Amino acid sequence: MDQLLSVEQAAELLGTTVRFPRRLVAERRITFVHVGRHVRIPRSALEEFIHQGTVEASRSAAS
């Protein structure tokens, strides 16, 4: 089973405030799980979110 992170733990992993992962959940931009009344975010969902936002460096052509 994938590790489930609290919103606070997700924010710490992303290096953001708690507001950012809460917004991701509210906008349904990231997978999340309701555990009773608590919201948990699977670690794999955060890793996928980071992967999708990664921009590879490109080499510019020499002039």
Side-chain angles (χ1 to χ4, degrees), residues 2-4 8-10 12 21 24-25 29 32 34 37-38 52 55-56 58 61:
D2 201 2
Q3 182 183 10
L4 298 177
E8 292 79 10
Q9 291 171 319
E12 186 175 332
L24 293 176
V25 167
R29 292 175 50 202
F32 64 95
H34 275 124
R37 64 185 185 104
H38 302 282
Q52 288 178 356
V55 178
E56 297 293 329
S58 64

Side-chain angles (χ1 to χ4, degrees), residues 2-53:
D2 201 2
Q3 182 183 10
L4 298 177
L5 304 174
S6 68
V7 174
E8 292 79 10
Q9 291 171 319
E12 186 175 332
L13 186 69
L14 292 171
T16 65
T17 64
V18 175
R19 185 176 179 176
F20 182 66
R22 286 192 192 281
R23 192 173 78 218
L24 293 176
V25 167
E27 295 174 356
R28 306 284 200 257
R29 292 175 50 202
I30 195 165
T31 302
F32 64 95
V33 178
H34 275 124
V35 180
R37 64 185 185 104
H38 302 282
V39 171
R40 295 294 183 253
I41 301 171
R43 180 177 285 276
S44 62
L46 284 178
E47 291 169 354
E48 179 63 25
F49 179 78
I50 292 168
H51 177 72
Q52 288 178 356

